[in-house]
Amino acid sequence: EWPLRPGENGQQHMSEDDDFMDTEEQIPRDIEKEAEDEKNTGNNFYKQKDYFKAIKFYTNAINLMPEKAAYYGNRAAAYMMISNFSSALDDSLKSVEKDPNFFKGGLRMIKCYIALGNLTAASRSLQDLKSRDPNNSSSYASETTNINRLKDLEISADKDMNNNDYKKVVYVMDRALEMAPACVNYKTKRAECLALLGRYNEAQEAANEMLRANNLNAGALYVKGLCLFYQDHLDKARQHFLQVLRVDPDHSKARLAVKDVKKEKSTDCDSALIPLL
C-alpha cells in the first residue's frame, strides 16, 4: 500500500512552526506589567524633559490599562509642561473620574483651570479638594493665592477699561497672563487695548497668535478688524467684523463696529462731494 498523505484519515499535518505558534499563544500576557513598563519609560523621558515622548509612552500605558488613574495624571503633567492645558485638563478630569481620591489629579485640575482663566471652575474644584482633604492646605496654598489675585486683577482691568485707561489694562493683563498663560479672554482684552492705543503691529501679532490656535476666535478677528478700521482700511475692517458676527452673532462690539464703518464711509463720501475752492 501507498503511505497515507498528510491530512488523510482525518489527521491534520502539523509542522514544527505550527507547533511553535501554538506554544506562543499559550503564554499569557502580563498586561499590568506591560503598562507599568510603558509608564516607567514615560517617566524616564519626563525626567529628561522630553515631554512629547513621555506623552507617547503614557498613552501606551493608558491604552493597555485605561482604568488606571495615575497614568492619566502622568500624561496630564507632561501636557502641562508643554503648555497644552486643555489636554492636561481633560486627563486630570479623567484621573479624578477613575479615582475620586486621587489628590494629584484634583490639584492638577485646579492648576489647569487657573492657567485657562476659568476662575469659577477653579474655585469650585478647590473647595471640593479642601472638603476631601482639609489637612493638606499647604499643597494648594499657591492655587488659593493665584485665584484670589486673578479675581482682583479682573476687577481692576474692568475698572480701567471703563475709564479708557488702556495702557493700565495692558499692564494688568500682562500680570494676569503670568498666572493664566492660556486664558483667551485675557489675551483678547490685552490685544484690543493695544489696538485702541494705536499699537497695531503688536495687536495684530497677538490676534494672529490666537487665530493660529483657533481660526474661529471671534475676539481675535474683532481685534484685527479694529486695527484695520483705525488704519482706514474700511472695507477690510467691515469684512472682519461681519466674519465675527458669523462666528458669534451676539458679539455686541462687532455689531457697533459695522455701524461705525458705515458711518465712516458715509462721511468720506460726503467729504468727497465738497467742491474745491
Side-chain angles (χ1 to χ4, degrees):
E1 293 184 11
W2 292 98
L4 291 175
R5 290 182 302 223
E8 289 184 346
N9 247 5
Q11 299 293 323
Q12 185 174 0
H13 176 69
M14 299 291 291
S15 70
E16 291 183 4
D17 288 342
D18 290 334
D19 186 54
F20 177 75
M21 290 176 65
D22 283 347
T23 304
E24 283 289 299
E25 290 172 359
Q26 291 170 7
I27 299 175
R29 289 179 63 188
D30 189 341
I31 300 296
E32 186 172 355
K33 182 180 182 305
E34 289 181 34
E36 278 295 296
D37 288 343
E38 296 290 329
K39 186 258 306 188
N40 290 333
T41 303
N43 286 349
N44 289 334
F45 281 117
Y46 186 95
K47 292 172 184 175
Q48 297 169 23
K49 302 185 188 300
D50 193 339
Y51 303 114
F52 289 97
K53 283 187 179 177
I55 288 167
K56 175 186 174 182
F57 283 95
Y58 291 146
T59 301
N60 292 344
I62 288 170
N63 290 338
L64 288 165
M65 294 194 68
E67 297 304 312
K68 190 89 167 181
Y71 295 165
Y72 293 98
N74 286 9
R75 193 170 67 175
Y79 275 130
M80 290 173 71
M81 296 306 295
I82 60 172
S83 299
N84 187 343
F85 295 102
S86 295
S87 295
L89 176 60
D90 288 341
D91 274 353
S92 297
L93 289 167
K94 286 178 184 174
S95 71
V96 174
E97 177 187 325
K98 303 297 180 184
D99 181 2
N101 295 317
F102 185 44
F103 180 84
K104 287 184 178 179
L107 187 58
R108 288 193 187 103
M109 186 167 59
I110 297 166
K111 290 178 182 289
C112 290
Y113 278 133
I114 292 173
L116 292 164
N118 190 339
L119 303 187
T120 301
S123 298
R124 184 177 62 246
S125 299
L126 180 60
Q127 289 304 315
D128 181 59
L129 194 64
K130 285 180 178 179
S131 66
R132 287 189 286 110
D133 198 348
N135 298 320
N136 205 6
S137 59
S138 60
S139 297
Y140 41 76
S142 62
E143 283 67 42
T144 303
T145 300
N146 287 345
I147 290 171
N148 292 333
R149 177 63 178 146
L150 284 170
K151 287 180 178 179
D152 290 341
L153 289 172
E154 286 185 358
I155 293 171
S156 176
D158 289 341
K159 180 181 177 182
D160 295 330
M161 195 79 177
N162 290 333
N163 292 332
N164 299 330
D165 191 348
Y166 305 125
K167 187 176 180 179
K168 181 71 177 298
V169 177
V170 171
Y171 173 82
V172 171
M173 288 297 95
D174 281 338
R175 302 289 78 74
L177 285 165
E178 290 173 1
M179 291 176 280
C183 181
V184 175
N185 288 337
Y186 295 167
K187 290 179 179 181
T188 302
K189 184 169 287 189
R190 177 182 180 277
E192 180 182 351
C193 288
L194 287 172
L196 293 169
L197 288 167
R199 293 160 62 177
Y200 305 124
N201 289 339
E202 293 175 74
Q204 288 180 324
E205 183 179 342
N208 286 334
E209 181 184 345
M210 288 187 281
L211 288 170
R212 281 192 290 271
N214 176 12
N215 62 359
L216 295 179
N217 184 317
L221 291 169
Y222 172 75
V223 168
K224 292 199 73 172
L226 207 58
C227 291
L228 291 165
F229 176 78
Y230 286 123
Q231 294 178 96
D232 293 326
H233 302 301
L234 299 183
D235 289 331
K236 288 184 178 180
R238 183 175 181 275
Q239 290 173 12
H240 276 74
F241 294 141
L242 291 175
Q243 188 176 356
V244 172
L245 293 173
R246 284 193 290 272
V247 174
D248 180 7
D250 297 324
H251 199 291
S252 57
K253 288 184 177 181
R255 286 191 175 279
L256 290 173
V258 170
K259 293 179 181 179
D260 287 341
V261 170
K262 186 176 181 180
K263 288 179 184 177
E264 195 71 20
K265 292 186 74 173
S266 177
T267 301
D268 288 347
C269 289
D270 291 344
S271 299
L273 295 174
I274 299 175
L276 297 174
L277 299 176

